[in-house]
Amino acid sequence: MSELETKSPGNFIRQIIDGDLKAGKHDGRVHTRFPPEPNGYLHIGHAKSICLNFGVARDYQSGKCNLRFDDTNPHKENIEYVDAIIDDVKWLGFDWQDRLFYASDYFQQLHDYALELIKAGKAYVCDLTAEEVRDYRGTLTEPGKASPYSNRTVEENLDLFRRMKAGEYEDGTRVLRARIDMASPNMNMRDPTLYRIRHGVIHHQTGEAWCIYPMYDFTHPISDALEGITHSLCTLEFEDHRPLYDWVLNNISIASHPQQIEFSRLNLQYTVVSKRKLTQLVDEGHVSGWGDPRMPTLAGLRRRGYTSSSIREFCDRIGVTKAENSVEMGILEACIREDLDRNAPRAMAVLDPLKVVIENFPEGETQQLEAPNHPKDEGMGKRTIAFTRELYIDRADFREQASRKYKRLVTDGEVRLRNAYVIKCNQVINGPDGEIVELRCSYDAETLGANPQGRKVRGVIHWVSAPEGIPAEIRLYDRLFGHPTPDGDKGVRSFLEHLNPDSFKVAGNAVVEPGLAQAEPGANYQFEREGYFCLDQQDSKATRLVFNRTVTLRDSWQKIDRQKG
RNA sequence: UGGGAUGUAGCUCAACUGGCAGAGCGACGGACUCUGACUCCGUAGGUUGUAGGUUCGACCCCUACCAUCCCAGCCA
C-alpha cells in the first residue's frame, strides 16, 4: 500500500525525458534536483515541484534527485529555514539519500569559473552604481548601451575581481558582469550581474569566508552541471533565463550540460502561494506563524491534519503543464477527504453542547456501548463509549419545529443517537432569556442495534456522555481568504483586504468521547457528521485536549438549506 | 508599440504525435444508509481562443488576429 511506489501520471516533461532516453542522451541517466532557497518555509507550490522532481527520479530506473539549497543570498537566508525545509521534504515522503548539497559548497569552483570567463574576456568588473546599471540596461523596447567599464583589460578585471574578493571594496561599489549583448531583446542577456559584494553578513554555511556572492543565473547552471543533473526543472518565469543558463555552460570549461525545462507554478484558490506574501502574513502577525494551520505551507497543512500522501495525490491530480492555472481548493479537499475517509477512525465530538436528560434512564448508571471505529473496515476494531442519563448533543441538532427535510431532533420527535438508542424529546427547558438550556427525553431500550417496531426514525445524530465525556477545545479553520484569487484582485489595495475574518474560530466548550483521552498528537479522526480533525501537536495537553479541524465532511445539506430552509 | 510563453467542459489535465474530443474534481438528479458522510447509478456541460488556409480528414500543420502571463534586482 505504499503510495510512493505508485507511478505518477505522465506529463510533457516525462515525455521529454522518455525521448532523451530513447535518443541516448545523458548516458541514459535521469537526475533531477529540488533547489529551494532557504528564505522561507515550503508551501504547496513547492510540493508540486518536489513531487515532480523526486517523482521523476522514483519512476525512472536508477533515477536520482538531489536536495540542494540555493543559498547564494545570505541576506535573506537563514538556518531555521534550512532545517524546516529538510523536515518538510522528509515529511512529504522523499529521500535524497546522501545527496544533500548547498550551492555554497561550490563557491570556490564558482569563483574559479568566473576567473575563466574573465580570462576569456567574457566577464568584467563594472563600477556603475545600481541605478546607473539600470539606466544603461535600456528598456523593454529600447536597447541598452555598453557600460563604460566593459572594455577593461583582462589583467585589470582579474585584479579588480581579486580585490573584490579580498574585501577591498564596499557593498554596491562594483559587480562582476558577463559581457554578452546590451542590445539583446532578452533583458537577461544585457550583461547580467554575476557577482556582488556583501560585507557583514554571516552565511549560515560559509560564515565569513566570502564577501562576494554569486548570482542565481551564474550559480544555478554550474551547480546543476557539477552534480550531473540531467534535467533541471524550474518554473515558467525562468524561461527567459534559459539562454543565459546555456550561455554560462557554453562559455566555461565544464563538460556536463543539463537541460532546463520550465513548467507553470501552482496557483491555489482562496490562498496565496508566494513566499513574499506568506512572509508578509507571518511578519505582520496575520497568522500565528509559518505553521499556522491556515497557511498553505507544508508545516501548516501538516498541523492542520493533512497527510503527506494526500498532498502527493493532489500533486498527481493537478498535473504538470506550462499553462497558467488556478486550482480549486476542492481538489485538495477531495484528496484529504478520500484519504481520511478510508484511514481515519471515527469518534464522536459535540462542538456546541446542549444538555439532554434521558428521564427513563437510571441516575448514576453508566452503560458501556460498543461502536465500530470504521463503518466499512472491521479491521480497525471497536471501541466502547459510555451511555448515561445525562448527555450532550449539538445545539444545531435540535429545533423546536422544522420541515420534514430536517432529519434531526424536534419537539415530540424521535431521533437515533449514533451507536446507541432512539430517543424522543418530551420537553424543552428554557432559560430566563428564552434560550433552550436542556431537553427532557426518553429512550427506547429496544432500539440498541435494532430498529423500533412499527415506526421510522428519520435521523441519526451524534452525542457524548455528559459525566464521562472530556471537555476539549476544537479549532475550526476555514479558508484564509474570502476571494478565490486574493493576489489577483486589482480592485483592492492589498491582498490582505481579502483576509477571511472567519478563518479561525474556536469551539471552546466542546466535549469529546472518553476514548479520545488516549489520542496521539497529530492523529487524525473523523468526528462523525462534523468532519476530520487531528489532535494538535503543539497545544494539546492531557489536561486540555485541542483538536484542529482539517476539513469538514462534504456537505450536501448546505445547498438544501439554501434552497428550502 | 521589444522579447519569451500559454489558450481543450465550471476548475485541473488527457487525446497513441493528422483518424469518432475523454478523465478527475465540481454541478445536477436518483438509489442506499444507524454519519445530510461513504458507496453506487444516471444527467448536463465543448464551434478545442477567433478567422482563414493545407488535407479525404486538423485540438494537432501553416498564416493572421485576439486574450492572458512573464522579463528592465547588485532577488531566486
Side-chain angles (χ1 to χ4, degrees):
Chain A
M1 252 270 206
S2 56
E3 294 89 337
L4 284 180
E5 276 150 32
T6 310
K7 275 199 177 192
S8 292
N11 56 51
F12 79 100
I13 291 176
R14 285 167 185 251
Q15 286 173 7
I16 291 171
I17 294 173
D18 289 341
D20 288 348
L21 249 22
K22 206 173 292 174
K25 283 193 195 170
H26 309 295
D27 316 315
R29 293 181 307 112
V30 177
H31 201 154
T32 56
R33 102 267 91 115
F34 172 62
E37 184 190 12
N39 66 344
Y41 278 56
L42 261 23
H43 54 66
I44 186 78
H46 292 110
K48 174 177 177 175
S49 177
I50 295 168
C51 290
L52 206 215
N53 279 294
F54 280 95
V56 160
R58 171 199 62 208
D59 293 344
Y60 283 90
Q61 202 173 30
S62 76
K64 289 190 172 99
C65 180
N66 299 354
L67 174 60
R68 180 174 73 231
F69 287 98
D70 223 328
D71 57 347
T72 57
N73 186 1
H75 231 74
K76 294 186 174 174
E77 297 155 9
N78 189 318
I79 191 71
E80 178 205 341
Y81 296 133
V82 170
D83 296 339
I85 289 168
I86 287 175
D87 278 353
D88 285 343
V89 179
K90 262 187 212 159
W91 175 76
L92 235 204
F94 296 104
D95 183 10
W96 51 89
Q97 294 161 315
D98 58 348
R99 295 182 313 281
L100 168 62
F101 301 121
Y102 296 83
S104 55
D105 295 343
Y106 314 129
F107 277 176
Q108 185 60 47
Q109 291 161 89
L110 259 354
H111 167 269
D112 296 345
Y113 283 120
L115 253 25
E116 278 190 18
L117 287 178
I118 294 171
K119 287 174 185 162
K122 289 169 178 169
Y124 61 94
V125 173
C126 181
D127 300 0
L128 255 24
T129 65
E131 279 124 275
E132 289 167 335
V133 167
R134 197 186 315 132
D135 289 342
Y136 275 80
R137 189 155 29 225
T139 68
L140 294 177
T141 50
E142 299 163 83
K145 50 182 195 271
S147 161
Y149 303 99
S150 71
N151 286 321
R152 295 220 248 228
T153 63
V154 168
E155 291 67 33
E156 194 180 354
N157 282 320
L158 248 16
D159 181 56
L160 255 14
F161 188 54
R162 181 187 57 75
R163 293 165 70 179
M164 274 172 64
K165 174 173 180 272
E168 291 186 26
Y169 307 123
E170 284 176 29
D171 287 17
T173 56
R174 271 163 245 258
V175 292
L176 182 72
R177 292 226 258 166
R179 191 199 324 275
I180 308 182
D181 178 7
M182 288 306 290
S184 172
N186 182 343
M187 301 297 285
N188 297 302
M189 301 300 266
R190 320 245 264 226
D191 289 12
T193 300
L194 266 23
Y195 268 90
R196 75 284 217 190
I197 303 171
R198 285 280 179 277
H199 287 287
V201 277
I202 297 177
H203 189 287
H204 50 96
Q205 302 301 316
T206 61
E208 293 178 290
W210 296 83
C211 67
I212 54 171
Y213 288 93
M215 300 286 288
Y216 167 88
D217 283 315
F218 184 65
T219 308
H220 210 82
I222 295 174
S223 303
D224 282 346
L226 289 172
E227 292 178 14
I229 300 303
T230 58
H231 301 269
S232 180
L233 314 181
C234 63
T235 42
L236 246 33
E237 67 271 25
F238 293 104
E239 210 150 18
D240 287 344
H241 294 240
R242 193 184 338 129
L244 180 50
Y245 183 102
D246 290 330
W247 183 93
V248 168
L249 295 178
N250 287 337
N251 286 282
I252 60 174
S253 63
I254 201 163
S256 167
H257 194 137
Q259 177 182 6
Q260 175 177 309
I261 307 171
E262 310 84 14
F263 62 94
S264 53
R265 3 164 122 249
L266 165 70
N267 295 295
L268 226 208
Q269 294 185 356
Y270 294 99
T271 189
V272 291
V273 194
S274 127
K275 238 191 241 175
R276 209 211 97 231
K277 294 196 176 73
L278 294 175
T279 305
Q280 192 180 347
L281 290 173
V282 173
D283 288 349
E284 296 179 4
H286 302 289
V287 295
S288 67
W290 287 98
D292 186 299
R294 296 165 295 177
M295 290 281 272
T297 52
L298 295 183
L301 289 164
R302 174 174 20 170
R303 187 159 172 209
R304 175 85 168 251
Y306 275 80
T307 60
S308 56
S309 67
S310 73
I311 291 172
R312 275 181 259 124
E313 173 65 20
F314 171 73
C315 292
D316 279 349
R317 288 190 193 184
I318 59 175
V320 179
T321 66
K322 298 185 73 153
E324 286 302 320
N325 58 75
S326 180
V327 176
E328 290 175 345
M329 191 60 93
I331 297 186
L332 216 210
E333 290 177 345
C335 291
I336 188 60
R337 286 193 183 110
E338 187 177 297
D339 182 345
L340 263 19
D341 174 57
R342 189 167 58 238
N343 299 313
R346 311 288 121 124
M348 292 194 287
V350 174
L351 303 199
D352 184 11
L354 171 60
K355 185 188 274 189
V356 167
V357 178
I358 311 292
E359 294 176 303
N360 58 342
F361 192 88
E363 227 160 313
E365 190 173 304
T366 298
Q367 186 180 1
Q368 294 298 338
L369 303 177
E370 206 171 51
N373 287 327
H374 194 287
K376 291 194 172 166
D377 184 357
E378 286 184 31
M380 291 181 74
K382 292 179 154 100
R383 68 192 193 281
T384 56
I385 44 180
F387 189 81
T388 50
R389 177 181 163 91
E390 292 196 357
L391 25 99
Y392 294 116
I393 65 169
D394 199 285
R395 203 161 273 282
D397 285 335
F398 174 77
R399 285 187 197 174
E400 297 196 70
Q401 62 240 346
S403 73
R404 303 120 295 261
K405 292 262 183 188
Y406 186 81
K407 302 206 306 184
R408 296 171 255 176
L409 190 61
V410 296
T411 313
D412 295 324
E414 281 188 308
V415 77
R416 158 78 63 184
L417 292 180
R418 176 72 164 159
N419 298 127
Y421 302 94
V422 169
I423 61 167
K424 180 177 184 185
C425 175
N426 304 315
Q427 192 192 349
V428 178
I429 311 278
N430 296 289
D433 302 326
E435 201 195 45
I436 300 170
V437 295
E438 181 181 314
L439 266 22
R440 309 294 289 190
C441 300
S442 52
Y443 84 115
D444 180 346
E446 306 301 309
T447 57
L448 186 62
N451 283 323
Q453 300 290 313
R455 57 195 204 279
K456 260 230 142 139
V457 176
R458 56 179 169 186
V460 181
I461 63 174
H462 58 281
W463 57 279
V464 170
S465 159
E468 303 278 337
I470 307 170
E473 172 177 327
I474 299 186
R475 298 176 177 175
L476 305 173
Y477 297 104
D478 203 348
R479 42 186 60 157
L480 228 200
F481 292 91
H483 190 282
T485 53
D487 49 356
D489 181 6
K490 302 220 159 63
V492 109
R493 241 180 254 120
S494 159
F495 71 106
L496 296 170
E497 292 183 34
H498 285 303
L499 240 13
N500 173 14
D502 298 323
S503 62
F504 177 39
K505 287 181 175 168
V506 177
N509 300 318
V511 185
V512 302
E513 63 173 71
L516 258 12
Q518 272 72 53
E520 299 283 339
N524 300 98
Y525 291 90
Q526 184 197 101
F527 290 166
E528 292 195 271
R529 302 209 315 129
E530 290 289 356
Y532 297 98
F533 297 79
C534 71
L535 192 69
D536 189 79
Q537 314 230 21
Q538 250 168 260
D539 297 341
S540 193
K541 301 184 181 68
T543 50
R544 177 68 169 169
L545 296 181
V546 176
F547 289 92
N548 297 326
R549 183 172 68 196
T550 309
V551 67
T552 62
L553 255 25
R554 215 169 129 260
D555 189 1
S556 53
W557 79 42
Q558 243 177 20
K559 78 177 165 233
I560 292 170
D561 284 355
R562 221 185 300 134
Q563 289 161 1
K564 233 192 150 111

